[in-house]
Amino acid sequence: MTEKKNRPEKQGGMWSKPVSRRDLLKMAGVGGAGLLLGGLGTGGLLGAKGLLQENKASAQSGDIVDFYGSHQAGITTPSQDFICFASFDVTTKDASDVRELFKKWTEAAAAITSGELIGTANDNGNLPPSDTGEAAGLNPSRITITFGVGPSFFDDRFGLASKRPAGFEPLPHFNGDALREEWNGGDLGVQVCANDMQVAFHAIRNLARIARGKAVLRWTQEGFQRTSGSDEAGATPRNLMGFKDGTGNPDIRDEQTMNEVVWAQSGDGASWMAGGSYMVVRRIRIRVEVWDRSTLKDQEGTFGRHRDSGAPIGSRGEFDKVDLNAKDEKGKPAIPMDSHVRLARGDGSLRILRRSYSYSSGLDKTTGQLDAGLLFISYQRDIAKQFIPLQRKLATDRLNEYILHHGSAVFACFPGVRKGGYIGETLL
Amino acid sequence: MKALYTGAVLLAAASIVLSGCSKNENKANETAANAVANNAAAGAVDLTDAQEKYRAYGIEQCDQFIIETEKFVNAVKAGDIDTAKQLYAPTRMYYERIEPIAESLGDFDPNIDARENDVPDADWRGFHRIEKSLWVDNSAEGMNEFADRLLSDVKALRALMETVEVDSTMLVTGAVELLNEVSSSKVTGEEERYSRTDLYDFVANVEGAKKIYELLKPTLEQKDADLEKQIGDRFAELEGQLEKYKSGDGYVLFTELKETDTKALSQSLDALAEPLSQMGTILGA
C-alpha cells in the first residue's frame, strides 16, 4: 500500500494522513504506536496515545460488524444504540446510473463499517475531502448499513417490473393510519445503526452526498434506545410509553428460526431476494401527553403486561408464558381482550423480527406537543403472510387510542454482498 | 478584505484569492506574484488563458452593469416606480453573475447588495434599500441619495475590476461559490424579500458558474472527461428546470413556486454543485 509508505514523511495532524481507523486499531493491538506517532508534535502525541488506548479496549470487545457476508448486517445483528434511517427517491432514469450508485455505496459502506475514511481525496488541498470527516478517529461503534429497494423501484423506469416480488407493494390501509405524505415510501431505503450517533449520521450524510445527481433524500428519521452504557445487562428495552418492547422477539441466534421468519428463501418466488429480507418501517407517533394522564391500571390493561416487570398481567416474570385463558377474580380475562399483547401474540403463529427504535423530533408546530414515538422496524420473509395479517389483528388494539401511524414504507433488503461484489447485484 | 487591494499586501495575497491591484504601481511585483501563485496553486496546469478570459468577462459584465444601473437609477430619481420595478431584477443579474469577484474586492458587496439587517441601519444602502421603498412603500421618495450612491459604488467597482488579478484557485472555487449563493439565499427566497424576484438572481448565479465551467472545460476534458461530462449534463438538467419558470423576458415571482418546486430546484442544484466542487482536480494535489 502506497499510503503506508507516505506515512512517516508527512507532517501535521494525525487525521490529515491516510491512516485508517482500522489501521490504528490494528497497530494499537500489536503495540506499534511508537512508530506511528513519530511524526507528531507533543500535543498530537498525548492526544493520540489516549485515543489508541481507548480504541484498544473497544477493538477487543468487537466494534466492527463485518459488512460482507451471506446476509446483510443490521438485520439479525443485535440492536445497536442508535439508528439513522433514510429513504431516497431515485432521480436518474438510467439503470446503469443506479448500478453505479450501488457500487459506490458498497465501497463507501465497506469503508465506513471498517472504520476507514471514504475515498482517496482526503489530503488534496485543491479538492473538498472525499470523506466529510466527522467520524475520523472514532471507533466504528458496530455500525451496520442495510440497503433495500421499495415497490416504486419496480415501476417502468428501470425495466425491472418483472422482477418485483409477488405481493411486494405499499402496505394496505390499516385501521388507525394517519399517514402523512412526507413520511411515506421511497425507492431506496437505508438503515444505519451504530452505538454512536455521530458515526451513524456520518454514514447517511456521506451516502446522500455520493447519491447526488442520482438519488435524493425523501425522508429521514433518527432514533435511539437506552444505550448499552446505561444497561450493561442488555435487558429488553423500554419504549417511550415506559413498557418493555421486544420481549416476544424470535431468537436471532437460532439460524433455523431466522430462516423461517426473516430470510427470504430461494423457493419463495423472487430468486434475486434469496438470503435477503423484507423490511417494514412505520413512523408511529405516540400521543405522549394523553398517555401520561392515563392511570397505571389503564396503561397495563392497554399492553396486557405489567409496566415494572414486563410480565403478562397476573404473572411475575417478563418471559412467563402469556396465558390468554387466565381469568381475574371476577371471572373476566386477566389479559383484556383488546390488549396489545393478546392481539399481537395471538396463537404465536405469526412471527416477525422487530428492530424498533424510539424517536423524538422536536415539537408538533400546530399543537406544541412532543413529536415523539416509535420508529417501528420489522424484518420478515414475507410481508403479506406475516406483517399484514398481524397488523390487521391490531385493528381493535386499545393502544390505537394513544398512537398515530404517520409514516409507512416497505423495502426489499438485498441478500448479503461478497467482497468484490456490490449491493443489489442479484437484481441490477 | 479591504486590505487586499492595497498594493502592500498584494504579494502575500496573490496566491490566495482574486486580488485587485494597481497595474501601474506593481508591474514588477505582479509578475513575481503570478509566478508564485502559479507554482503553488496551479501546479503544472496552465490556466492563464482561462484566467485572462474570465477577467475580460468580469469587465464586460461590469460595463453592462453600469449602463443598466444608470437606467434604473434614473427611473428611481424620476419617480417612475413602474419602470424602476421593471428594471430592478434584470439589472441585478449583471452583478449576480460576477458576485465572487465583487465580494473579494472589499466593501462592494455590502454597499451594493446588503439586505436589511446585514449591516447597521445607518449604513444600509444599495439595491435592496431601494427595493424596499419601491415594493413596500410603492414610492421612490427619499431615494435620490441612495440612487446616486448606488451608481457611484457600481462605477467604483468597475474601476477596480480593471486591475483585478484572477488566480487559478479562485477561478476553480468561484463556480461553486456562485452555486452556494443560490443555495443559501436564492432558493430559499431570502434574497429578494420585497420584490420576490429571487429567480433572476438564481439564474444569474448559475450563468456565472457556467461561464467558469466553460472556460475550464478544455482543461477538464483532458484531465477528467467523465467529470466534465457529468458537470455539463447537470448544468443542462438545472437549466431545463429553470426554463419552466420563465415568464416573458424574465422569470415568475418566488411566491409562485410551491415547496415541491423549490425542493426540486435545490436538489438539482446540489446535484450540480457536487461534481462542480471536484473541478479542483485540474490543479493537481
Side-chain angles (χ1 to χ4, degrees):
Chain A
M1 272 170 67
T2 50
E3 284 182 0
K4 284 190 177 164
K5 276 186 213 150
N6 287 337
R7 197 177 294 149
E9 285 85 44
K10 292 218 174 183
Q11 297 291 320
M14 153 169 269
W15 303 115
S16 62
K17 298 181 199 171
V19 183
S20 75
R21 281 177 283 146
R22 189 168 208 173
D23 285 344
L24 263 181
L25 301 181
K26 282 183 203 152
M27 299 188 83
V30 298
L35 176 79
L36 173 70
L37 299 174
L40 293 174
T42 319
L45 183 72
L46 293 174
K49 246 186 189 164
L51 181 83
L52 285 169
Q53 277 155 7
E54 258 175 55
N55 275 347
K56 186 177 176 182
S58 49
Q60 284 165 350
S61 61
D63 47 13
I64 293 176
V65 179
D66 277 341
F67 173 72
Y68 296 105
S70 54
H71 301 298
Q72 285 198 77
I75 299 174
T76 56
T77 307
S79 289
Q80 301 92 325
D81 296 341
F82 301 100
I83 187 170
C84 261
F85 194 94
S87 165
F88 290 85
D89 282 332
V90 177
T91 50
T92 179
K93 295 186 172 53
D94 188 344
S96 67
D97 274 352
V98 180
R99 192 176 302 118
E100 189 58 30
L101 172 61
F102 286 176
K103 286 179 180 170
K104 291 211 162 123
W105 270 4
T106 303
E107 276 171 35
I112 293 167
T113 50
S114 52
E116 290 165 9
L117 293 178
I118 301 165
T120 51
N122 284 301
D123 56 359
N124 180 342
N126 285 320
L127 286 174
S130 49
D131 187 300
T132 57
E134 70 271 38
L138 300 184
N139 185 301
S141 307
R142 296 190 57 77
I143 186 169
T144 57
I145 307 177
T146 313
F147 298 92
V149 288
S152 53
F153 194 69
F154 298 91
D155 59 18
D156 53 9
R157 282 173 295 171
F158 311 114
L160 295 172
S162 65
K163 293 206 171 171
R164 181 205 290 253
F168 180 58
E169 24 193 276
L171 294 172
H173 179 84
F174 295 112
N175 197 24
D177 275 5
L179 301 185
R180 294 184 178 179
E181 183 55 30
E182 66 265 35
W183 297 113
N184 277 301
D187 293 328
L188 309 172
V190 183
Q191 172 199 274
V192 176
C193 297
N195 287 337
D196 184 289
M197 195 53 163
Q198 184 150 320
V199 168
F201 173 77
H202 167 259
I204 288 295
R205 174 186 181 184
N206 282 273
L207 294 175
R209 181 186 180 199
I210 290 166
R212 273 181 202 138
K214 301 188 177 83
V216 295
L217 286 168
R218 181 182 172 92
W219 56 269
T220 66
Q221 182 63 57
E222 295 169 359
F224 56 90
Q225 52 170 326
R226 87 283 183 266
T227 64
S228 37
S230 53
D231 180 14
E232 286 179 21
T236 309
R238 291 179 187 273
N239 60 29
L240 296 185
M241 297 172 117
F243 280 73
K244 295 189 174 195
D245 197 342
T247 302
N249 244 353
D251 184 358
I252 52 175
R253 291 160 304 182
D254 181 342
E255 203 176 318
Q256 193 190 331
T257 303
M258 290 301 101
N259 278 328
E260 286 166 17
V261 176
V262 174
W263 304 122
Q265 305 293 310
S266 53
D268 283 0
S271 56
W272 63 268
M273 267 296 283
S277 186
Y278 294 92
M279 169 173 38
V280 168
V281 190
R282 307 277 288 180
R283 187 181 191 271
I284 305 172
R285 165 104 174 258
I286 296 172
R287 303 166 72 189
V288 288
E289 290 81 1
V290 175
W291 178 254
D292 295 347
R293 42 186 183 251
S294 309
T295 64
L296 177 62
K297 205 174 168 201
D298 271 346
Q299 293 187 0
E300 294 191 333
T302 299
F303 274 96
R305 288 183 180 276
H306 292 297
R307 185 171 93 147
D308 186 34
S309 63
I313 291 180
S315 300
R316 283 182 174 277
E318 180 189 348
F319 297 100
D320 286 358
K321 185 172 173 290
V322 178
D323 182 1
L324 298 176
N325 297 317
K327 302 278 192 277
D328 65 12
E329 65 277 9
K330 289 178 190 158
K332 287 187 179 162
I335 297 175
M337 296 306 285
D338 59 355
S339 67
H340 184 68
V341 70
R342 177 183 287 273
L343 296 168
R345 170 149 309 203
D347 62 3
S349 63
L350 294 172
R351 288 181 300 167
I352 57 176
L353 177 66
R354 283 171 290 159
R355 213 174 182 287
S356 304
Y357 288 82
S358 295
Y359 79 81
S360 165
S361 294
L363 299 185
D364 180 328
K365 275 184 277 182
T366 54
T367 62
Q369 294 177 321
L370 285 167
D371 178 8
L374 187 72
L375 185 66
F376 170 94
I377 292 178
S378 73
Y379 286 94
Q380 46 269 304
R381 186 175 160 186
D382 188 326
I383 291 171
K385 287 183 186 152
Q386 294 165 271
F387 179 81
I388 292 176
L390 197 58
Q391 188 61 26
R392 286 218 164 107
K393 284 176 26 180
L394 301 180
T396 55
D397 193 341
R398 200 193 293 180
L399 196 54
N400 292 342
E401 285 178 36
Y402 305 102
I403 60 178
L404 293 161
H405 289 250
H406 275 336
S408 179
V410 293
F411 297 101
C413 296
F414 307 121
V417 195
R418 298 192 186 283
K419 261 188 191 146
Y422 61 93
I423 54 159
E425 64 187 327
T426 54
L427 174 64
L428 192 73
Chain B
M1 297 297 274
K2 243 181 186 168
L4 274 182
Y5 54 88
T6 64
V9 291
L10 171 68
L11 270 175
S15 64
I16 306 169
V17 288
L18 270 174
S19 31
C21 71
S22 152
K23 274 198 167 157
N24 299 333
E25 283 171 28
N26 288 294
K27 214 90 212 171
N29 286 350
E30 198 183 43
T31 318
N34 271 348
V36 172
N38 285 341
N39 287 339
V45 184
D46 183 11
L47 296 175
T48 323
D49 185 46
Q51 287 161 229
E52 195 38 53
K53 282 181 176 153
Y54 188 68
R55 197 177 78 91
Y57 171 75
I59 289 172
E60 170 205 312
Q61 289 297 311
C62 230
D63 283 341
Q64 283 300 313
F65 188 36
I66 293 180
I67 295 170
E68 299 303 319
T69 302
E70 196 153 18
K71 288 185 201 162
F72 170 69
V73 159
N74 287 341
V76 170
K77 290 171 76 177
D80 184 351
I81 311 287
D82 288 346
T83 305
K85 280 182 173 177
Q86 260 174 31
L87 293 175
Y88 172 78
T91 300
R92 289 178 43 76
M93 290 180 84
Y94 295 98
Y95 181 75
E96 292 289 340
R97 287 188 195 101
I98 54 166
E99 206 171 353
I101 307 187
E103 283 184 352
S104 74
L105 293 178
D107 279 345
F108 286 97
D109 194 56
N111 291 344
I112 293 172
D113 199 29
R115 292 166 299 178
E116 195 169 13
N117 302 327
D118 280 352
V119 291
D121 259 1
D123 299 338
W124 190 34
R125 62 190 214 238
F127 273 104
H128 295 299
R129 179 71 192 81
I130 301 172
E131 177 203 3
K132 186 177 183 186
S133 177
L134 289 176
W135 269 273
V136 176
D137 307 327
N138 200 35
S139 152
E141 244 185 79
M143 288 297 114
N144 274 9
E145 191 197 333
F146 290 119
D148 286 337
R149 283 296 287 276
L150 176 61
L151 188 58
S152 68
D153 284 336
V154 169
K155 283 181 173 165
L157 171 67
R158 170 64 183 85
L160 209 56
M161 286 292 289
E162 194 65 44
T163 67
V164 88
E165 196 63 45
V166 176
D167 143 312
S168 59
T169 303
M170 181 57 188
L171 187 58
V172 166
T173 54
V176 171
E177 256 180 61
L178 278 157
L179 295 193
N180 290 347
E181 286 285 335
V182 182
S183 217
S184 56
S185 63
K186 275 78 176 197
V187 78
T188 54
E190 286 164 49
E191 179 76 16
E192 305 290 355
R193 54 186 79 154
Y194 314 113
S195 67
R196 309 322 321 235
T197 53
D198 305 80
L199 273 181
Y200 289 76
D201 307 70
F202 190 135
V203 169
N205 282 159
V206 172
E207 285 171 353
K210 177 117 184 252
K211 180 69 189 179
I212 295 175
Y213 155 70
E214 279 169 349
L215 291 174
L216 296 176
K217 193 173 159 170
T219 315
L220 197 55
E221 256 170 346
Q222 283 175 8
K223 191 97 178 177
D224 189 341
D226 286 348
L227 181 63
E228 189 282 311
K229 184 181 179 310
Q230 198 175 43
I231 296 173
D233 288 350
R234 297 204 183 153
F235 262 117
E237 256 175 64
L238 181 59
E239 286 162 350
Q241 240 173 310
L242 286 166
E243 192 74 17
K244 291 193 286 186
Y245 303 106
K246 268 201 165 153
S247 167
D249 290 339
Y251 294 87
V252 301
L253 298 183
F254 189 80
T255 41
E256 288 184 39
L257 301 181
K258 296 189 196 71
E259 244 177 47
T260 48
D261 294 321
T262 53
K263 186 176 165 200
L265 282 169
S266 174
Q267 287 178 327
S268 288
L269 188 82
D270 283 341
L272 166 62
E274 191 63 37
L276 203 65
S277 74
Q278 302 296 315
M279 282 203 308
T281 192
I282 60 180
L283 301 177

